[in-house]
Amino acid sequence: MGIATETTGRTLVVTIDRPKRRNAVDRTTADELHRAFVAFDADGGLDVAVLTGAGGNFCAGADLHAIGTGDGNRVSDDPDAPAPLGCTRLLLDKPVIAAVEGFAVAGGLELALWCDLRVAATDATFGVYCRRFGVPLVDGGTVRLPRLIGQSRASDMILTGRGISGVEAGEWGLANRTCAPGSALDAALELAASIAEFPQQCLRNDRRSSYEQWGLGLDDALANETRLGLATLHSGETLEGAARFVAGAGRSGAAVPPTREPGQPGLGPVETGDGQR
């Protein structure tokens, strides 16, 4: 078994389940990760996913042992092909949270970087450990790491291959939340449940705009934001939210009640106004 999946409320938990390899990913596991996240994105009953690892580690990267058995990771320059680790070329419509215990190194670091948010135990370890073996970062690491923590700190990790703790990752902004050892999954599930309570079309369109702006000039990025924002406004979510505000929800910092009851169907693919997702 490469991965295991479990649904908790409106959250899908995807667990890399190869503890004897510190959850290193072979080709079969990469294919399973790709299928799992494509299916998650298409499932109207799910809003958030949590990616984690079994046995006290997140992921040690690509399984170098598998290369010798013919089950090594695929590396293709075709942008439409699955990534070596399966899912890291996907831009989903929904957020994914990494729950990191133990090692998130080499390709495991890249999987964590692919996620929208990272919840890390204070004794977790992030690092470009593949530096010492001549294995390149080909799952987005050289792109996402500088964008998240800045070029100087990214260069420190990429050039030296040194590991940083969950505490340091939190100080650098690599980890969005830190927690006590052994509690990363619980903390990530709590975060996922809070995200799932928000109006989802607005959340997903704003999230998409924040990602797509990286490849656009200012004028095009602002136009794209407006296009996605108009899709949200036309959906009725904003009007419904304004009505709840007028009725007293969220006043003076009060908690806003969920936008739907538990078990109520969620949204399908997010419409952006021109037939794209």
Side-chain angles (χ1 to χ4, degrees), residues 5-21:
T5 59
E6 180 182 5
T7 299
T8 301
R10 303 190 65 81
T11 299
L12 176 70
V13 179
V14 178
T15 303
I16 305 173
D17 193 11
R18 307 186 74 224
K20 291 183 179 179
R21 294 290 191 203

Side-chain angles (χ1 to χ4, degrees), residues 18 20-27 59-73 75 84-85 105-108 110 129-139:
R18 307 186 74 224
K20 291 183 179 179
R21 294 290 191 203
R22 289 187 173 177
N23 300 319
V25 175
D26 60 4
R27 182 183 302 181
C59 175
D63 186 350
L64 300 185
H65 293 273
I67 295 174
T69 64
D71 197 28
N73 304 75
V75 181
L85 294 179
V105 296
E110 292 181 288
Y129 279 19
C130 52
R131 177 58 53 242
R132 63 196 71 177
F133 302 114
V135 179
L137 297 171
V138 287
D139 279 271

Side-chain angles (χ1 to χ4, degrees), residues 25 63 119 139 176 189 192 194 208 212 235:
V25 175
D63 186 350
V119 176
D139 279 271
N176 302 90
L189 287 170
S194 69
R208 178 164 286 272
E212 292 180 340
S235 75

